[in-house]
Amino acid sequence: MNIGLDMMGGDLAPLEAVKGVLQYLNEDSSASVLFLIGDQPKVEQLLDEHKVSRERIQVIHSEQVIDMHEHPTKALKEKQRSSIAIGFHLLATGKIDSFISAGNTGAMLVGALFSIKALEGVLRPTISTIIPRENGNTGLLLDVGLNADCKPEQLNQFAIMGSVYAQLMLDISNPRVGLMNVGEEEGKGNLLAQATYPLLKENKHINFIGNIEGRDVLEDKADVMVCEGFTGNIILKLAESLYEITHRQKIEHEYFERFNFENYGGTPVLGVSKPVIIGHGISKAKAFKNMIKVAQQMIEKDVLGKMKEELK
């Protein structure tokens, strides 16, 4: 398999990206090849400095970089020689099987939607996040920001895609799906929640357990938690703050360490035809290594292919 990595995306690139590649190669013995897309002289100098073997590496030169605050659509159109634009071209033409970047999130989402397209029947792709549970398990929350406003039919599809991801990537055999709401009883919530509930209840492709509340997010009540991106992003940022606060207060506890985003690498765009992984802008080596691992696992387990089957 061929995995493409944007070496220029992120505040700490390309140095931390190179360190992440080294960690990945040291831990992984598969035959996968990494296509490193970026400023070739800079990337190759860092590869030499860190004694990274070139056996499973190809460096693809890019002359431009899409900065974090550039307009995504305009930047992709005007910067055809940027690392992100080249990455999506390689993905769309089959030269690579997945693409990873910790760069401009908007550009990654636009590229995913317009370069490789959504899976057949998908109304809107989604992004998710891993939520650590106190008992050691993990949950999946989606959407966490891609779709601030949603229709009930979209949340219904998110539940299917989240269930497939939980089964294949989190090893949960029969994931419990819960609808984020302000109460447990059927009929609670705003118009979106009230209209979504019956769709989830009738959906034979998921194990729907009903409504869940904010207090259930960190508890082991539902494996897949579904909501629109506005609510999901607020929950995500609140969860991220737990890790930041415990570090500032020098509180050491293994549970709070699990909120470190680098443990999970990045978030895949679910509902597009090929794996696209989006990383945090401040990703360090560990995050880059884990993003590559996520991409590899998604390819090996044909996650998007399974989603396509369930969505039919």
Side-chain angles (χ1 to χ4, degrees):
M1 77 183 68
N2 299 325
I3 300 173
L5 176 60
D6 173 14
M7 300 300 290
M8 311 310 291
D11 298 340
L12 307 174
L15 175 59
E16 292 298 322
V18 168
K19 290 181 180 179
V21 167
L22 178 59
Q23 288 184 14
Y24 170 76
L25 292 174
N26 286 340
E27 295 179 14
D28 180 81
S29 58
S30 70
S32 57
V33 176
L34 301 182
F35 283 62
L36 309 184
I37 308 160
D39 186 318
Q40 190 165 4
K42 286 184 181 179
V43 171
E44 292 189 337
Q45 180 181 345
L46 288 169
L47 291 173
D48 290 338
E49 288 176 2
H50 290 83
K51 297 180 173 57
V52 180
S53 169
R54 305 292 184 88
E55 186 178 347
R56 293 163 53 194
I57 283 177
Q58 289 193 34
V59 180
I60 308 296
H61 181 61
S62 65
E63 301 170 2
Q64 301 169 307
V65 177
I66 296 178
D67 296 326
M68 287 293 195
H69 302 294
E70 289 190 73
H71 187 278
T73 306
K74 182 180 179 183
L76 276 173
K77 183 177 180 180
E78 295 179 352
K79 292 187 172 181
Q80 292 290 304
R81 299 303 302 165
S82 66
S83 51
I84 289 180
I86 291 173
F88 277 113
H89 174 72
L90 294 173
L91 188 62
T93 55
K95 303 294 193 306
I96 57 178
D97 302 303
S98 66
F99 180 49
I100 301 163
S101 177
N104 187 304
T105 300
M108 287 295 290
L109 293 171
V110 170
L113 288 171
F114 294 100
S115 296
I116 58 171
K117 310 299 182 184
L119 291 173
E120 184 180 351
V122 169
L123 299 171
R124 285 284 295 178
T126 181
I127 54 176
S128 62
T129 191
I130 301 294
I131 300 291
R133 267 48 190 285
E134 187 179 6
N135 64 357
N137 293 338
T138 55
L140 189 73
L141 175 70
L142 69 169
D143 184 279
V144 292
L146 180 54
N147 304 284
D149 294 301
C150 289
K151 296 178 180 179
E153 294 80 8
Q154 292 169 334
L155 294 189
N156 194 35
Q157 288 192 341
F158 296 169
I160 295 172
M161 292 190 282
S163 293
V164 172
Y165 191 85
Q167 287 174 341
L168 298 178
M169 298 292 287
L170 305 182
D171 295 322
I172 303 172
S173 59
N174 188 27
R176 300 159 296 172
V177 176
L179 175 64
M180 290 301 307
N181 211 325
V182 295
E184 294 182 350
E185 302 84 5
E186 185 173 353
K188 284 278 190 176
N190 58 16
L191 294 176
L192 175 61
Q194 291 174 23
T196 301
Y197 192 103
L199 294 182
L200 298 178
K201 188 176 180 180
E202 295 168 8
N203 191 334
K204 304 303 182 184
H205 294 262
I206 62 173
N207 176 21
F208 181 54
I209 63 167
N211 290 325
I212 58 172
E213 300 179 88
R215 63 185 175 186
D216 301 318
V217 172
L218 303 182
E219 299 291 337
D220 194 17
K221 186 166 183 179
D223 303 300
V224 177
M225 298 167 284
V226 178
C227 59
E228 89 295 337
F230 185 88
T231 299
N233 191 261
I234 291 173
I235 296 173
L236 168 63
K237 297 300 172 59
L238 177 62
E240 287 180 348
S241 73
L242 293 176
Y243 177 74
E244 296 167 359
I245 290 170
T246 55
H247 265 239
R248 285 199 299 269
Q249 297 295 324
K250 295 181 171 55
I251 300 172
E252 295 185 8
H253 193 283
E254 60 181 358
Y255 174 62
F256 293 114
E257 286 298 317
R258 294 178 63 212
F259 282 88
N260 181 358
F261 74 89
E262 293 207 322
N263 293 330
Y264 313 105
T267 181
V269 182
L270 303 181
V272 291
S273 58
K274 296 183 180 181
V276 174
I277 315 296
I278 300 175
H280 204 297
I282 57 172
S283 291
K284 293 184 180 179
K286 184 178 182 181
F288 280 105
K289 175 196 72 175
N290 286 328
M291 278 188 272
I292 300 171
K293 285 187 172 183
V294 169
Q296 178 178 322
Q297 290 173 4
M298 288 189 70
I299 296 167
E300 291 174 343
K301 297 182 179 183
D302 191 23
V303 174
L304 298 174
K306 298 295 194 305
M307 285 183 188
K308 184 177 180 180
E309 291 176 12
E310 289 296 312
L311 288 164
K312 283 183 179 179

